[in-house]
Amino acid sequence: MGETKRCLKLTVAYDGTAYHGWAVQPAVHGPTIQGTMQEALGRLTGEALTLVAASRTDAGVHARGQVVVLTTASRIPLERWPQAANGVLPDDIAVLRAEEAAPGFDPRREAAYKTYTYTIYNSTTPDVFHHRYSYQVYRPLAAEPMARAAGYFVGTHDFRAFAAAGGAAKTTVRTVYRCRVKQEGPWIKIEVTANGFLYHMVRIIAGTLLEVGLGRLAPEDVPYILRSGCRALAGPTAPPRGLCLERVVFRPTSLDS
Amino acid sequence: MGETKRCLKLTVAYDGTAYHGWAVQPAVHGPTIQGTMQEALGRLTGEALTLVAASRTDAGVHARGQVVVLTTASRIPLERWPQAANGVLPDDIAVLRAEEAAPGFDPRREAAYKTYTYTIYNSTTPDVFHHRYSYQVYRPLAAEPMARAAGYFVGTHDFRAFAAAGGAAKTTVRTVYRCRVKQEGPWIKIEVTANGFLYHMVRIIAGTLLEVGLGRLAPEDVPYILRSGCRALAGPTAPPRGLCLERVVFRPTSLDS
C-alpha cells in the first residue's frame, strides 16, 4: 500500500532581492525562498513539503547553484521536474536541474565545499541593470593588493575574526581552498571556496578586502587579523546584494550510483 | 536681475520594470520615469522642472542611452550634475552624462536616428538575473532566417503594417538604417536603427522576426507584409521587457559648438 517516496536534489538559482533569505523564520515578516518554494512545489505535488538547502543564504543574497532537497511521492518524471517547478515558481526563483538522491540525503552534511562570489562595481556612474547584483564602490579600488590579501585566507584557519555574532557553529575553524580577486573593467569579483562558512564570513572577507583596496589595510594585515581572532580588526560586513552562492560540491560517497 | 537659465542634455539609463513608461499621463496610476525624474531633479534645483525625452518609451521598456533635456537656473557645475542627480534619483534611474545644449533644444525634433535593441533568451531554463531585461522563448529559434528577414526592413518603407493603433504620427514612412540579428549562446539580440519609430514598431518587428525564427513565416514574407500595409499579417507585439533604447544620435547642426 505504502507510496514510494523519492528524494530529489534540485539545483536552484534565485534573485534574492525580494526575499528575507532562505530560511522560514517565525519572527520574520515577508517572503523567504524556502517558504515560497515549499508553497509552490507543495501545490505542484499536492503534499506538505519540507525543503532543505545546502546553504541558508541571508536576506538579499542571490544563488546560481543552491542545492535544495525534498522528499516526495509525486510521479512527475525527473526530466520534467525543472519545467514543472518553474511553471509554478515566481520569475526570480528557478529550478535549473533535478536529480535523484539517496533517501535521507542531507545537503548540509554532505557538502564537501561551496563557492561564493562577491561582486563589486567600482565606478562613480550607477549601473541600473546590475545594481541588484553588485555593491557599488565610488572611490577607486586597487585590485592588486586585494588579490594579494585574498591569498592569506587560503588554508585552515580559525575564522573567528571573520564571523558575526549569532552563528550556531561549534567550531570557528574552516578550510578555505581558494580565495581570489579578478578585475574586469569596473567589475571586481571576489571568489571564495571553502569547506564551510561562518555567519557573514564571505561578506566580512569582502569588507576586509575592500579596506585593502582603499588602502586602509595592508594585505599583510590579514594574517595578523586572522591570528587575533578579533572581529573589530577585520573590515565591515559588505552588503548582501553583492553576494551569490555559485555552487555546492558534495562528497564522492554521496554521489548517486 | 534675470537669472541665467541653461539648457541641459542628460544621457540617462533606466530599468523600466517598475515604471509606467516615460511620459506622465493623467489617466495612468503609478510612477513614470518622467514624473520620478521631474520630482527628484526638481528637489535638487528647487524648481518646477519639465523634462523632455528623445523617446517616449512604453511601460516596462528600458534605456541605456535615453536623452533628457531640461532648462534650469541651477548653478550646479556641469561636471557635478551626474553625481548630484544620482544622489536624488532611485537606484533604477541613472544620469550617465550631462552636457550643455542650445537654448530650446528639442531632443525629439533634433534626433537624426535612434537605436533600439530587443533581447531574446532562447532557453527552457529560466535565467533569474536577466528575466527583467529579456523575453524568454522556450521553443528553439533559427537565428539565421531571422537575420535574413531583418535585412528586408532596411531602407525607406511605409511601416504601417508594423505600427499599433494609437500612434500620433502624420506619416507611417520611416527609414531603417540598420536591422540585424546576433546570436550568442541562448541570447538572440535584434538591433534596429532608424530615423524614427512608429508606436510599438520595434516590438512588432521583433514579434515578426520571432515568427520567422519559429518557422511560421519565411524571411521573404517580410517585404510582402511591408507592401501590404496590413498589421494583421505581421507578427504579434513582443513584450516590453526585452526592449531597450540604446542611443540617440542628433543632427550635426544641433551639436553644441
Side-chain angles (χ1 to χ4, degrees), chain A:
Chain A
M1 287 296 288
E3 289 167 313
T4 315
K5 289 209 172 191
R6 284 188 305 175
C7 186
L8 296 186
K9 194 174 119 192
L10 307 178
T11 304
V12 177
Y14 46 83
D15 171 350
T17 309
Y19 297 93
H20 290 261
W22 164 261
V24 171
Q25 286 167 292
V28 171
H29 298 289
T32 62
I33 312 277
Q34 185 188 17
T36 304
M37 290 191 72
Q38 286 181 172
E39 194 276 319
L41 302 185
R43 245 186 307 131
L44 182 68
T45 70
E47 300 160 305
L49 295 176
T50 301
L51 271 51
V52 180
S55 205
R56 293 157 65 97
T57 54
D58 278 338
V61 173
H62 316 292
R64 278 195 189 82
Q66 171 70 286
V67 173
V68 172
V69 170
L70 66 143
T71 298
T72 176
S74 159
R75 293 184 183 176
I76 299 169
L78 205 56
E79 65 278 12
R80 296 245 185 99
W81 253 91
Q83 213 159 332
N86 294 327
V88 293
L89 286 168
D91 282 342
D92 48 9
I93 305 177
V95 171
L96 308 181
R97 204 165 45 246
E99 299 156 273
E100 198 158 342
F105 179 76
D106 178 342
R108 302 196 66 177
R109 215 178 41 218
E110 296 298 331
Y113 55 90
K114 299 171 200 166
T115 299
Y116 278 92
T117 53
Y118 195 92
T119 303
I120 297 156
Y121 174 57
N122 190 27
S123 171
T124 54
T125 305
D127 184 317
V128 298
F129 301 107
H130 295 94
H131 81 268
R132 294 157 70 96
Y133 316 119
S134 57
Y135 172 46
Q136 185 175 2
V137 175
Y138 292 77
R139 294 179 50 197
L141 293 166
E144 193 277 323
M146 292 173 71
R148 269 195 296 135
Y152 287 109
F153 289 108
V154 177
T156 302
H157 305 285
D158 185 335
F159 280 92
R160 192 182 314 187
F162 295 85
K170 284 175 210 147
T171 162
T172 47
V173 174
R174 292 291 182 278
T175 300
V176 169
Y177 297 112
R178 189 151 77 177
C179 184
R180 54 188 187 182
V181 174
K182 280 187 199 166
Q183 183 173 32
E184 203 171 316
W187 300 96
I188 297 176
K189 198 165 264 199
I190 300 165
E191 191 192 76
V192 191
T193 301
N195 65 349
F197 293 92
L198 302 170
Y199 192 42
H200 286 181
M201 180 167 145
V202 184
R203 289 165 59 190
I204 301 172
I205 288 176
T208 304
L209 293 178
L210 281 168
E211 294 291 284
V212 172
L214 293 167
R216 296 198 285 231
L217 284 176
E220 298 70 32
D221 290 335
V222 169
Y224 171 75
I225 300 168
L226 277 167
R227 278 196 308 273
S228 77
C230 176
R231 171 67 189 90
L233 293 182
T237 307
R241 59 175 52 209
L243 189 61
C244 184
L245 173 59
E246 296 288 342
R247 58 193 160 274
V248 181
V249 174
F250 295 97
R251 298 178 208 291
T253 51
S254 75
L255 293 179
D256 209 48
S257 53

